[in-house]
Amino acid sequence: YLDLHDVTFLKDGSGFIVQSEKSGFNQLYKHDMSGKEITALTKGDWEVTGFYGVDEKNDLAYFQAASKNPMERELYSVKLNGKDQKKISDDKGYHSAQFSSTFDYFVNTFSTLNSPPQYAVRDRKGKLVRLLEQNEAIKAKQEEYGTLPAEFFDFKTSENVTLNGWMIKPKA
């Protein structure tokens, strides 16, 4: 089984960025053009779940990760030397991004288990520039129809493995 990912070549010709699970977790690595690993851009017992690209002008790579909780996704930037990793998303939930070609801005799509997607334009540091859509009409419909909230939980199996789940409880 091979989990293949795209290779992103640096425009200056110095190397490339690739995702690998060689540590046991999907992480980002920078290599020189001969294929020798220069540095791990990301490290930890968590997964990089999306790679958005490289802003060479500002020496940054942008990615999505499940670093705090496997049921959430956060957005991050990291320097191309693997230092100064910064979270650029805020609320707990599921974040994804679509970056401009210059990486100056991105559209942040955010939702939770119990809320519809919200869309906002943010700058490269994650600062809010403009709200695009908060889906207030869908939130109102959820309230009107009495939608019950779903809840996350985890439990241990008889083999002592922790599994995650979610449930919607019936009305009392």
Side-chain angles (χ1 to χ4, degrees):
Y1 166 72
L2 291 173
D3 192 7
L4 300 175
H5 299 278
D6 290 338
V7 175
T8 301
F9 289 94
L10 300 174
K11 290 177 185 166
D12 67 5
S14 66
F16 58 91
I17 309 295
V18 68
Q19 293 181 63
S20 171
E21 295 180 4
K22 68 181 184 176
S23 70
F25 295 90
N26 192 29
Q27 299 293 332
L28 297 174
Y29 297 89
K30 182 178 177 184
H31 292 261
D32 66 19
M33 289 307 285
S34 71
K36 179 182 174 203
E37 183 181 313
I38 296 170
T39 190
L41 297 183
T42 58
K43 302 174 189 87
D45 294 348
W46 47 269
E47 300 279 334
V48 169
T49 52
F51 177 52
Y52 296 116
V54 176
D55 174 4
E56 289 187 62
K57 179 179 153 191
N58 291 292
D59 194 41
L60 294 169
Y62 293 94
F63 63 96
Q64 177 195 59
S67 68
K68 309 281 187 227
N69 180 330
M71 294 174 288
E72 296 178 6
R73 297 293 182 270
E74 307 92 21
L75 303 175
Y76 292 91
S77 67
V78 65
K79 291 280 191 187
L80 294 180
N81 63 6
K83 301 198 183 313
D84 203 23
Q85 181 175 302
K86 291 183 180 170
K87 186 175 168 191
I88 59 171
S89 56
D90 44 20
D91 299 323
K92 286 185 174 190
Y94 193 98
H95 291 269
S96 63
Q98 183 175 2
F99 280 86
S100 66
S101 61
T102 60
F103 291 94
D104 290 329
Y105 300 98
F106 65 96
V107 174
N108 179 200
T109 303
F110 166 73
S111 65
T112 68
L113 186 60
N114 295 305
S115 67
Q118 300 174 31
Y119 305 91
V121 176
R122 296 183 177 271
D123 68 15
R124 74 168 50 88
K125 294 181 180 180
K127 183 179 178 220
L128 180 66
V129 174
R130 179 176 173 218
L131 286 173
L132 298 174
E133 177 63 56
Q134 291 187 288
N135 277 316
E136 294 297 334
I138 294 175
K139 288 180 191 176
K141 284 286 184 197
Q142 286 177 310
E143 289 178 23
E144 177 185 339
Y145 291 126
T147 304
L148 297 172
E151 298 174 17
F152 285 121
F153 65 94
D154 59 43
F155 63 95
K156 289 209 186 277
T157 67
S158 57
E159 292 83 22
N160 204 32
V161 174
T162 301
L163 296 177
N164 297 308
W166 62 270
M167 75 172 115
I168 299 174
K169 296 177 182 174
K171 281 191 174 182

